[in-house]
Amino acid sequence: MSFIECVDLTHIYNAGMENEMLAVENVNIKIEEGEFVAILGTNGSGKSTLAKHFNGLLLPSSGKCLVDGMDTKDEEHTYDIRRQIGMVFQNPDNQIIAAIVEDDVGFGPENIGLDPHEIRRNVTAALRAVDMEEYRHFSPHHLSGGQKQRVAIAGALAMNTKCLVLDEPTAMLDPRGRHEVMDTVSRLNKERGITTVYITHFMEEAAMADRIFVMDQKHLVASGTPREIFRDIGAMKKRGLAVPMAAEMAYRLQQKGLRITESIINTEDLVRAICQ
Amino acid sequence: MSIELKNISYTYMPKTPFEHLALDDISITVPEGKITAIAGHTGSGKSTLIQHFNGLLKPSKGTILVDGVDIGKKNTEAKAARRKVGIVFQYPEYQLFEETISKDISFGPMNIGCSEAETLERVKQAMAFVNLDYDKYAHRSPFQLSGGQKRRAAIAGILALQPKYLVLDEPTAGLDPKGREALMEKFRRLHRERGTTIVLISHNMDNIASYADNVIILNKGKVTMEAPPEEVFSQKELISQAGLELPEVKTIMNELAQNGLEIQNNAYTMDKAVEEIIEALRRKGKC
């Protein structure tokens, strides 16, 4: 059984109304426990709509979304599903609610009525996991964007979440903040086996994933390893996307007559291909 | 002619426990007709700095000259000088507020006293420039647009003011690759065809590498570098101290050089890099 499974999932906003809009159509996806998947697609391709189904924020208009075997439409499972899947959004300022970091991280556990000792323990462990323990008494508005996003991730971890769904978590961050978030996400996936769904417009970030899903005009149009997906530069450009810089450079060099047989998705690949 | 900042300092909440020196004795020049990039990490003072360009913030110390006019004065000349500078803030789509797109874009021109006919003409021009069809969109609500369209509608609102100096704060944040490129190409066209001076605030160094004639690096409220891109990108240490990164292309070129490829290593854009690599490989008889 896959951890997340979408079966013929279709989502229509404002169904039956004048401004009805089809956002996602007939998507079939399976995400395994412990996997790191990235979702790519242009603005409006349906990737955020799809991701909001993973914890039941949106329910399918038709088709199904199953999390750990539970149907998101089944109301009695809503809380179980949301405890297992934590969401992190683009704007860090829209998802931090408390005046002190530890209160923010403790909000979820407190809300589900955990024992105060356990809350404290969860909060400490979560802050440590994102390397923010020394900031536990800080006010969030004194933190950088990358630090705020890590606090948001800690908020999910404090609920013992099994899966993180991150919707463009680095779009508003500077390079340092982006690295902080990417390193944290990738470490949590590797060391703790947290299933990770990572939506991004940055191809270099998607290249870290085990698998990439590509959305185009409401449909899932491709899935595969980063090497498989980034091999077809023409197709990616046609979809309004791109490939990592090293892959683009390899492609340009090939067009100038350089023979490169290996698949290139990062700088190490390219250096190896050229310098040896 | 230029925007010239002379010894600008700015302190947030002076004489309170939260007093914070955001800009520390900054002297820079934004030359007319060029694309100048300002880079720095979050909190380095970029946004505070650009709000001085048209008098939204008044410096605690120092003077700002726009085309030689001190914009801190209270006279009509200073007011006219301030209006030469248009600022597009980060996520400008959050500032859309009117019932229809055409009303939203009209707000600026009407406010500076353009006639109705003149305003309409400017709205049409601005919408055409950002590829929003006037007949189709003018009377729709801006809130029905997609994210990318909203961004373009908001930018049209500034373009309708026809600023001589256009300041853009992270204009492509949150857009997909195609959207980023399309928008940047529009600004490049504006620069080439109308000679608009562009100030690009960004931490995307590849963007800066592709478009800027001149780069200013801010760190902790101070200017640490003001130079053409090739010079800035040769200072790896300073860039990293400022919390920034070299353009990806430059990083790849540095790696190739370190691994024995004999390149001049001046390239920081894709086209030049590809040329340099091919040349180096030819010399080695490998290509």
Side-chain angles (χ1 to χ4, degrees):
Chain A
M1 185 180 68
S2 302
F3 185 63
I4 298 175
E5 182 170 1
C6 300
V7 185
D8 296 326
L9 187 147
T10 294
H11 191 88
I12 302 167
Y13 286 108
N14 305 319
M17 280 153 60
E18 199 186 319
N19 52 352
E20 171 176 299
M21 194 186 86
L22 175 68
V24 168
E25 191 171 28
N26 273 328
V27 167
N28 288 287
I29 269 185
K30 283 183 183 175
I31 297 168
E32 305 305 325
E33 194 163 347
E35 212 181 357
F36 187 153
V37 304
I39 305 182
L40 295 176
T42 54
N43 297 106
S45 61
K47 51 192 190 325
S48 296
T49 302
L50 178 65
K52 283 182 185 146
H53 284 80
F54 297 163
N55 73 345
L57 273 181
L58 291 177
L59 297 173
S61 306
S62 69
K64 267 197 293 199
C65 179
L66 303 172
V67 174
D68 210 5
M70 297 176 280
D71 192 329
T72 56
K73 270 187 184 162
D74 207 340
E75 273 179 39
E76 64 179 291
H77 293 316
T78 304
Y79 282 99
D80 291 330
I81 289 172
R82 294 211 177 137
R83 280 182 70 170
Q84 294 201 18
I85 301 202
M87 304 267 297
V88 175
F89 296 101
Q90 187 181 111
N91 189 341
D93 293 319
N94 291 349
Q95 49 196 330
I96 287 183
I97 41 132
I100 302 288
V101 166
E102 64 173 0
D103 289 353
D104 194 83
V105 177
F107 180 81
E110 206 175 340
N111 210 25
I112 56 170
L114 289 189
D115 162 83
H117 291 291
E118 203 177 343
I119 296 178
R120 207 155 273 280
R121 211 167 43 232
N122 282 8
V123 168
T124 305
L127 284 171
R128 196 172 289 161
V130 298
D131 207 9
M132 285 293 289
E133 204 186 353
E134 59 182 303
Y135 295 95
R136 70 183 297 156
H137 299 299
F138 272 58
S139 157
H141 74 261
H142 285 124
L143 303 180
S144 72
Q147 290 172 329
K148 285 183 202 168
Q149 287 298 56
R150 286 189 285 150
V151 170
I153 293 172
L157 295 179
M159 302 283 280
N160 290 319
T161 187
K162 281 192 192 165
C163 170
L164 283 173
V165 177
L166 305 111
D167 193 351
E168 293 191 52
T170 61
M172 297 180 82
L173 307 184
D174 61 22
R176 194 176 284 166
R178 276 180 62 192
H179 282 294
E180 286 171 16
V181 170
M182 277 158 59
D183 293 348
T184 304
V185 169
S186 138
R187 190 164 43 79
L188 289 171
N189 171 257
K190 286 205 179 72
E191 290 174 8
R192 298 174 179 232
I194 304 240
T195 310
T196 306
V197 180
Y198 195 100
I199 299 178
T200 183
H201 284 317
F202 294 106
M203 304 302 135
E204 281 78 11
E205 295 181 6
M208 311 186 302
D210 300 320
R211 266 197 308 155
I212 295 176
F213 294 115
V214 183
M215 297 284 296
D216 189 16
Q217 297 179 34
K218 314 167 194 355
H219 294 98
L220 178 70
V221 292
S223 71
T225 63
R227 285 186 194 282
E228 287 162 356
I229 294 293
F230 292 134
R231 191 175 293 155
D232 197 349
I233 293 190
M236 290 301 275
K237 292 214 161 156
K238 213 181 289 162
R239 294 179 188 128
L241 298 171
V243 297
M245 202 64 90
E248 167 104 30
M249 196 179 278
Y251 174 75
R252 300 272 201 103
L253 288 167
Q254 281 170 323
Q255 294 212 312
K256 295 252 177 190
L258 184 67
R259 240 177 72 92
I260 299 178
T261 47
E262 305 88 334
S263 89
I264 309 282
I265 58 166
N266 55 37
T267 307
E268 290 99 84
D269 293 343
L270 188 65
V271 169
R272 211 176 304 129
I274 291 180
C275 293
Q276 280 179 6
Chain B
M1 290 296 172
S2 59
I3 301 179
E4 206 178 332
L5 276 70
K6 289 184 172 169
N7 308 101
I8 295 295
S9 293
Y10 186 80
T11 309
Y12 277 108
M13 297 194 269
K15 294 176 190 148
T16 73
F18 304 105
E19 180 171 305
H20 171 63
L21 181 63
L23 299 176
D24 187 2
D25 195 20
I26 288 193
S27 297
I28 51 168
T29 303
V30 174
E32 186 181 337
K34 302 271 185 210
I35 299 183
T36 299
I38 302 179
H41 66 85
T42 313
S44 60
K46 303 184 300 262
S47 299
T48 308
L49 181 67
I50 58 167
Q51 289 180 66
H52 284 82
F53 287 8
N54 68 350
L56 283 176
L57 288 180
K58 280 190 181 165
S60 309
K61 278 185 212 145
T63 30
I64 296 129
L65 305 176
V66 174
D67 291 345
V69 177
D70 181 351
I71 64 165
K73 295 258 164 64
K74 280 187 182 164
N75 53 34
T76 46
E77 206 192 359
K79 196 170 174 183
R82 288 197 290 270
R83 282 184 179 166
K84 288 182 183 175
V85 184
I87 303 183
V88 176
F89 286 105
Q90 255 184 68
Y91 292 84
E93 58 273 26
Y94 294 152
Q95 299 176 39
L96 292 166
F97 69 103
E98 267 286 9
E99 279 171 19
T100 70
I101 292 164
S102 107
K103 277 191 196 170
D104 203 284
I105 300 173
S106 302
F107 182 82
M110 293 296 273
N111 205 30
I112 57 169
C114 291
S115 69
E116 265 181 50
E118 164 82 11
T119 300
L120 180 65
E121 186 49 41
R122 285 184 180 210
V123 170
K124 283 185 171 170
Q125 267 187 22
M127 284 184 71
F129 195 81
V130 298
N131 286 359
L132 284 173
D133 183 46
Y134 182 84
D135 294 328
K136 190 169 170 195
Y137 290 108
H139 304 295
R140 287 203 198 168
S141 160
F143 303 103
Q144 287 173 359
L145 299 175
S146 75
Q149 287 172 330
K150 272 189 204 166
R151 173 88 43 105
R152 284 185 276 136
I155 290 170
I158 300 295
L159 294 181
L161 289 164
Q162 301 183 346
K164 182 175 170 191
Y165 298 94
L166 180 63
V167 183
L168 306 158
D169 193 354
E170 292 287 359
T172 62
L175 298 183
D176 58 50
K178 190 180 176 183
R180 289 200 285 257
E181 201 180 313
L183 193 58
M184 286 312 297
E185 282 308 318
K186 291 215 179 319
F187 294 132
R188 175 140 46 195
R189 234 184 75 205
L190 195 68
H191 172 249
R192 282 198 185 139
E193 290 173 10
R194 299 198 202 159
T196 306
T197 303
I198 307 248
V199 182
L200 174 66
I201 287 72
S202 181
H203 33 236
N204 180 338
M205 296 303 251
D206 284 289
N207 231 345
I208 290 178
S210 313
Y211 295 98
D213 300 309
N214 202 17
V215 185
I216 294 167
I217 307 273
L218 274 186
N219 191 14
K220 294 180 186 146
K222 286 192 163 123
V223 172
T224 52
M225 261 192 279
E226 185 180 7
E230 60 269 26
E231 208 172 302
V232 170
F233 297 145
S234 64
Q235 307 271 340
K236 194 177 163 190
E237 272 306 301
L238 274 175
I239 299 257
S240 145
Q241 274 166 23
L244 298 167
E245 285 176 339
L246 289 176
E248 186 76 20
V249 171
K250 185 73 183 170
T251 306
I252 294 176
M253 295 303 271
N254 284 349
E255 284 291 318
L256 288 172
Q258 267 172 26
N259 282 277
L261 188 70
E262 286 164 20
I263 43 177
Q264 289 175 314
N265 205 2
N266 290 326
Y268 52 88
T269 60
M270 182 65 82
D271 291 338
K272 284 209 178 124
V274 168
E275 251 171 58
E276 271 196 16
I277 295 171
I278 293 285
E279 242 171 64
L281 290 173
R282 277 208 181 111
R283 278 197 299 272
K284 276 172 92 179
K286 266 197 171 179
C287 171

